[in-house]
Amino acid sequence: EIPMGPELLRRLRGRKADYQNVFAGESGRRVLADLYRFCHMDQPSFATDPFVTAFNEGQRRVFLRIAGLLRLADDDILKLATEKHDE
């Protein structure tokens, strides 16, 4: 179990605020939409090669970490996936 001292809690809150600041605004939404596609969130990560599956899962974890820190709901993620952005 990880001790939740005041310093650790402060750092975690600061990290969350940093992510929220970085991804705020229209440019942040465009980056998130790009990461959604790049991290293969719109398709299964399974491949016949287990190394490819592991690689794909690693990409998905990056997006899921960002989404978790931003507290994006499923509806928010679906909206990102369907928004049209300049490629």
Side-chain angles (χ1 to χ4, degrees):
E1 189 171 311
I2 299 173
M4 196 59 118
E7 177 61 22
L8 178 59
L9 189 57
R10 184 192 64 75
R11 286 194 344 243
L12 292 174
R13 285 182 178 148
R15 181 178 304 144
K16 179 181 171 187
D18 289 343
Y19 273 74
Q20 289 171 335
N21 288 333
V22 166
F23 289 102
E26 185 57 31
S27 61
R29 291 193 65 75
R30 285 192 304 269
V31 170
L32 282 173
D34 180 63
L35 286 173
Y36 180 90
R37 289 184 300 275
F38 180 79
C39 294
H40 307 289
M41 295 301 295
D42 58 345
Q43 56 190 306
S45 58
F46 176 78
T48 55
D49 182 337
F51 292 107
V52 173
T53 298
F55 182 82
N56 293 345
E57 273 302 304
Q59 288 182 315
R60 290 172 56 85
R61 287 285 301 138
V62 169
F63 184 86
L64 291 172
R65 175 169 173 82
I66 293 168
L69 285 166
L70 296 176
R71 298 226 185 255
L72 295 179
D74 290 343
D75 290 343
D76 298 326
I77 295 171
L78 183 59
K79 188 175 179 184
L80 276 174
T82 58
E83 286 178 352
K84 293 292 181 191
H85 296 280
D86 294 335
E87 295 293 323

